[in-house]
Amino acid sequence: EVVMTQSPAALSVSPGERATLSCRASQSVSSNLAWYQQKPGQAPRLLIYGASTRATGIPARFSGSGSGTEFTLTISSLQSEDFAVYYCQQYNNWPRTFGQGTKVEIK
Amino acid sequence: EVQLVESGGGLVQPGRSLRLSCAASGFTFDDYAMHWVRQAPGKGLEWVSGISWNSGSTPYADSVTGRFTISRDNAKNSLYLEMNSLRAEDTALYYCAKVLKDRSGQKGVFDIWGQGTMVTVSS
């Protein structure tokens, strides 16, 4: 199975600052990589798929990049509603696998 | 409104069985593959199983292979997960999720999620 490793585990950021989250795959997943946001008590929300395509309704401050084994989610200017846990997921291989998550906290 | 509503969770003893259901509305159910994803308390997301639109493909995570069975009834707009030989490590919130479809077809990502149904396996 493809192991997805996210870093850092937690990130403290001030509102308005930039946040950069990383996701590494144990083997190439091409561009078949998605990012989700999850807030406490809520289901995950799809942010990015195809490594860099924003899902419907996702603000432009969220951007994704990368291919192969190295991927990045960037939040250009953090808003209060962006403090949450973020997961990457590969869909190039079965089983589908998620990273362990990065918690973005208020600094 | 596109909606997924899970049901069937509860407290069950180890070794027993449980059947989860997911009722879909607001979209053409039989156009989409569907999946189950679970989340143990305080932990991350774990993909469990998926099913193609016509039930022709039903992959499973290794952790549930041979114990769980996914199925769907397109006439009832419903997705199911039959869980047998339950273990303590199956304790989790179980989400059903719909795959995304864009102009280039269906993707293996999940754009609509239910709110989940909690399964607790304990004696």
Side-chain angles (χ1 to χ4, degrees), chain A residues 11-21 37 61-62 74-84 86 104-107:
Chain A
L11 187 60
S12 292
V13 185
S14 299
E17 289 188 341
R18 182 186 198 91
T20 302
L21 288 65
Q37 176 193 67
R61 64 180 181 272
F62 292 92
T74 301
I75 311 171
S76 60
S77 176
L78 270 153
Q79 307 297 302
S80 57
E81 62 266 31
D82 300 335
F83 293 96
Y86 292 82
V104 177
E105 302 171 312
I106 301 174
K107 189 172 183 180

Short mmCIF file of all heavy atoms in Angstrom, two decimals, chain A residues 11-21 37 61-62 74-84 86 104-107:
data_model
loop_
_atom_site.label_atom_id
_atom_site.label_comp_id
_atom_site.label_asym_id
_atom_site.label_seq_id
_atom_site.Cartn_x
_atom_site.Cartn_y
_atom_site.Cartn_z
N LEU A 11 1.03 22.85 13.11
CA LEU A 11 1.59 24.09 12.59
C LEU A 11 0.88 25.25 13.27
O LEU A 11 -0.36 25.32 13.23
CB LEU A 11 1.36 24.12 11.08
CG LEU A 11 1.98 25.20 10.22
CD1 LEU A 11 3.49 25.17 10.32
CD2 LEU A 11 1.54 25.00 8.77
N SER A 12 1.64 26.12 13.92
CA SER A 12 1.05 27.30 14.56
C SER A 12 1.27 28.51 13.66
O SER A 12 2.41 28.86 13.36
CB SER A 12 1.68 27.54 15.92
OG SER A 12 1.33 26.52 16.83
N VAL A 13 0.18 29.15 13.28
CA VAL A 13 0.24 30.25 12.32
C VAL A 13 -0.66 31.39 12.80
O VAL A 13 -1.75 31.13 13.34
CB VAL A 13 -0.22 29.78 10.93
CG1 VAL A 13 -0.04 30.89 9.90
CG2 VAL A 13 0.54 28.54 10.49
N SER A 14 -0.22 32.60 12.59
CA SER A 14 -1.05 33.77 12.93
C SER A 14 -2.01 34.05 11.78
O SER A 14 -1.67 33.83 10.60
CB SER A 14 -0.17 34.99 13.18
OG SER A 14 0.70 34.77 14.27
N PRO A 15 -3.21 34.54 12.10
CA PRO A 15 -4.14 34.93 11.04
C PRO A 15 -3.48 35.91 10.07
O PRO A 15 -2.75 36.82 10.49
CB PRO A 15 -5.29 35.58 11.81
CG PRO A 15 -5.26 34.92 13.15
CD PRO A 15 -3.80 34.70 13.44
N GLY A 16 -3.73 35.69 8.78
CA GLY A 16 -3.12 36.54 7.76
C GLY A 16 -1.80 36.02 7.23
O GLY A 16 -1.32 36.47 6.18
N GLU A 17 -1.18 35.11 7.96
CA GLU A 17 0.09 34.54 7.51
C GLU A 17 -0.15 33.39 6.54
O GLU A 17 -1.25 32.88 6.40
CB GLU A 17 0.92 34.06 8.71
CG GLU A 17 1.48 35.18 9.55
CD GLU A 17 2.46 34.67 10.60
OE1 GLU A 17 2.44 33.46 10.91
OE2 GLU A 17 3.24 35.48 11.13
N ARG A 18 0.95 32.97 5.93
CA ARG A 18 0.93 31.87 4.96
C ARG A 18 1.22 30.56 5.68
O ARG A 18 2.06 30.51 6.57
CB ARG A 18 2.02 32.13 3.92
CG ARG A 18 2.16 31.14 2.80
CD ARG A 18 3.39 31.53 1.99
NE ARG A 18 3.42 30.95 0.67
CZ ARG A 18 2.92 31.54 -0.41
NH1 ARG A 18 2.36 32.73 -0.32
NH2 ARG A 18 3.01 30.94 -1.59
N ALA A 19 0.52 29.50 5.28
CA ALA A 19 0.78 28.17 5.82
C ALA A 19 1.14 27.23 4.69
O ALA A 19 0.49 27.24 3.63
CB ALA A 19 -0.45 27.65 6.55
N THR A 20 2.17 26.43 4.91
CA THR A 20 2.62 25.47 3.90
C THR A 20 2.64 24.08 4.53
O THR A 20 3.36 23.85 5.51
CB THR A 20 4.01 25.84 3.37
OG1 THR A 20 3.97 27.16 2.83
CG2 THR A 20 4.44 24.86 2.29
N LEU A 21 1.84 23.18 3.97
CA LEU A 21 1.72 21.82 4.47
C LEU A 21 2.28 20.87 3.42
O LEU A 21 2.06 21.07 2.22
CB LEU A 21 0.25 21.47 4.72
CG LEU A 21 -0.47 22.11 5.91
CD1 LEU A 21 -0.62 23.61 5.76
CD2 LEU A 21 -1.83 21.46 6.09
N GLN A 37 -10.04 19.24 4.30
CA GLN A 37 -10.03 20.00 5.54
C GLN A 37 -11.10 19.39 6.46
O GLN A 37 -12.21 19.08 6.01
CB GLN A 37 -10.42 21.46 5.25
CG GLN A 37 -10.55 22.36 6.45
CD GLN A 37 -11.23 23.67 6.10
OE1 GLN A 37 -12.41 23.70 5.76
NE2 GLN A 37 -10.48 24.76 6.16
N ARG A 61 -7.38 31.25 -1.97
CA ARG A 61 -6.21 31.26 -1.07
C ARG A 61 -5.67 29.85 -0.83
O ARG A 61 -4.56 29.69 -0.33
CB ARG A 61 -6.55 31.93 0.27
CG ARG A 61 -7.58 31.23 1.11
CD ARG A 61 -7.83 32.00 2.41
NE ARG A 61 -8.80 31.35 3.27
CZ ARG A 61 -10.10 31.57 3.19
NH1 ARG A 61 -10.58 32.40 2.27
NH2 ARG A 61 -10.94 30.95 4.03
N PHE A 62 -6.44 28.84 -1.19
CA PHE A 62 -5.97 27.45 -1.11
C PHE A 62 -5.38 27.06 -2.46
O PHE A 62 -6.03 27.16 -3.50
CB PHE A 62 -7.12 26.50 -0.77
CG PHE A 62 -7.67 26.66 0.61
CD1 PHE A 62 -8.74 27.50 0.86
CD2 PHE A 62 -7.10 25.97 1.69
CE1 PHE A 62 -9.25 27.66 2.15
CE2 PHE A 62 -7.60 26.12 2.97
CZ PHE A 62 -8.67 26.97 3.20
N THR A 74 -0.82 25.01 0.12
CA THR A 74 -0.50 26.35 0.61
C THR A 74 -1.79 27.11 0.86
O THR A 74 -2.68 27.12 0.01
CB THR A 74 0.37 27.11 -0.39
OG1 THR A 74 1.58 26.38 -0.63
CG2 THR A 74 0.72 28.49 0.15
N ILE A 75 -1.85 27.71 2.03
CA ILE A 75 -2.96 28.62 2.35
C ILE A 75 -2.31 30.00 2.43
O ILE A 75 -1.49 30.26 3.33
CB ILE A 75 -3.65 28.26 3.67
CG1 ILE A 75 -3.98 26.76 3.70
CG2 ILE A 75 -4.93 29.08 3.84
CD1 ILE A 75 -4.48 26.26 5.05
N SER A 76 -2.64 30.86 1.49
CA SER A 76 -1.85 32.08 1.29
C SER A 76 -1.99 33.07 2.43
O SER A 76 -1.03 33.74 2.81
CB SER A 76 -2.22 32.74 -0.03
OG SER A 76 -3.60 33.08 -0.03
N SER A 77 -3.16 33.21 2.98
CA SER A 77 -3.40 34.17 4.06
C SER A 77 -4.49 33.57 4.96
O SER A 77 -5.67 33.61 4.62
CB SER A 77 -3.87 35.52 3.49
OG SER A 77 -4.18 36.42 4.53
N LEU A 78 -4.04 33.02 6.06
CA LEU A 78 -4.96 32.24 6.89
C LEU A 78 -6.08 33.09 7.47
O LEU A 78 -5.84 34.16 8.06
CB LEU A 78 -4.20 31.56 8.02
CG LEU A 78 -3.69 30.17 7.65
CD1 LEU A 78 -2.47 29.82 8.45
CD2 LEU A 78 -4.79 29.15 7.86
N GLN A 79 -7.29 32.59 7.31
CA GLN A 79 -8.46 33.19 7.92
C GLN A 79 -8.85 32.37 9.14
O GLN A 79 -8.44 31.22 9.28
CB GLN A 79 -9.62 33.21 6.91
CG GLN A 79 -9.28 33.86 5.57
CD GLN A 79 -8.92 35.32 5.74
OE1 GLN A 79 -9.72 36.12 6.24
NE2 GLN A 79 -7.72 35.68 5.32
N SER A 80 -9.67 32.94 10.00
CA SER A 80 -10.04 32.27 11.24
C SER A 80 -10.71 30.91 10.97
O SER A 80 -10.52 29.96 11.71
CB SER A 80 -10.98 33.15 12.06
OG SER A 80 -12.12 33.49 11.32
N GLU A 81 -11.44 30.83 9.87
CA GLU A 81 -12.15 29.59 9.55
C GLU A 81 -11.25 28.50 8.97
O GLU A 81 -11.71 27.39 8.73
CB GLU A 81 -13.30 29.88 8.58
CG GLU A 81 -12.90 30.45 7.23
CD GLU A 81 -12.94 31.96 7.19
OE1 GLU A 81 -12.71 32.60 8.24
OE2 GLU A 81 -13.20 32.50 6.09
N ASP A 82 -9.98 28.82 8.76
CA ASP A 82 -9.05 27.84 8.17
C ASP A 82 -8.33 27.00 9.22
O ASP A 82 -7.62 26.05 8.85
CB ASP A 82 -8.00 28.55 7.30
CG ASP A 82 -8.62 29.34 6.16
OD1 ASP A 82 -9.74 29.00 5.74
OD2 ASP A 82 -7.97 30.30 5.71
N PHE A 83 -8.51 27.34 10.49
CA PHE A 83 -7.85 26.54 11.52
C PHE A 83 -8.59 25.22 11.66
O PHE A 83 -9.77 25.19 12.01
CB PHE A 83 -7.76 27.34 12.81
CG PHE A 83 -6.84 28.52 12.67
CD1 PHE A 83 -7.34 29.78 12.38
CD2 PHE A 83 -5.47 28.37 12.77
CE1 PHE A 83 -6.49 30.87 12.21
CE2 PHE A 83 -4.61 29.45 12.61
CZ PHE A 83 -5.12 30.70 12.32
N ALA A 84 -7.88 24.15 11.34
CA ALA A 84 -8.50 22.83 11.18
C ALA A 84 -7.40 21.79 10.99
O ALA A 84 -6.21 22.12 11.06
CB ALA A 84 -9.42 22.84 9.95
N TYR A 86 -5.84 19.07 8.27
CA TYR A 86 -5.79 18.87 6.83
C TYR A 86 -5.20 17.49 6.53
O TYR A 86 -4.18 17.10 7.11
CB TYR A 86 -4.95 19.96 6.17
CG TYR A 86 -5.61 21.32 6.26
CD1 TYR A 86 -5.50 22.09 7.42
CD2 TYR A 86 -6.40 21.80 5.21
CE1 TYR A 86 -6.15 23.31 7.52
CE2 TYR A 86 -7.04 23.02 5.31
CZ TYR A 86 -6.91 23.76 6.47
OH TYR A 86 -7.57 24.97 6.57
N VAL A 104 -3.58 22.67 11.86
CA VAL A 104 -3.20 24.09 11.75
C VAL A 104 -3.86 24.83 12.91
O VAL A 104 -5.09 24.89 12.99
CB VAL A 104 -3.60 24.68 10.40
CG1 VAL A 104 -3.25 26.15 10.34
CG2 VAL A 104 -2.90 23.92 9.26
N GLU A 105 -3.02 25.37 13.78
CA GLU A 105 -3.50 26.01 15.01
C GLU A 105 -3.23 27.50 14.98
O GLU A 105 -2.31 27.97 14.27
CB GLU A 105 -2.78 25.40 16.22
CG GLU A 105 -2.96 23.90 16.34
CD GLU A 105 -2.06 23.29 17.40
OE1 GLU A 105 -0.85 23.59 17.41
OE2 GLU A 105 -2.58 22.50 18.22
N ILE A 106 -3.98 28.21 15.77
CA ILE A 106 -3.79 29.65 15.89
C ILE A 106 -2.57 29.94 16.76
O ILE A 106 -2.44 29.40 17.85
CB ILE A 106 -5.03 30.33 16.50
CG1 ILE A 106 -6.26 30.07 15.64
CG2 ILE A 106 -4.79 31.83 16.67
CD1 ILE A 106 -7.54 30.58 16.25
N LYS A 107 -1.70 30.80 16.24
CA LYS A 107 -0.50 31.20 17.00
C LYS A 107 -0.82 32.35 17.94
O LYS A 107 -1.50 33.31 17.50
CB LYS A 107 0.60 31.60 16.04
CG LYS A 107 1.95 31.83 16.68
CD LYS A 107 2.99 32.04 15.60
CE LYS A 107 4.37 32.21 16.21
NZ LYS A 107 5.40 32.41 15.16
#
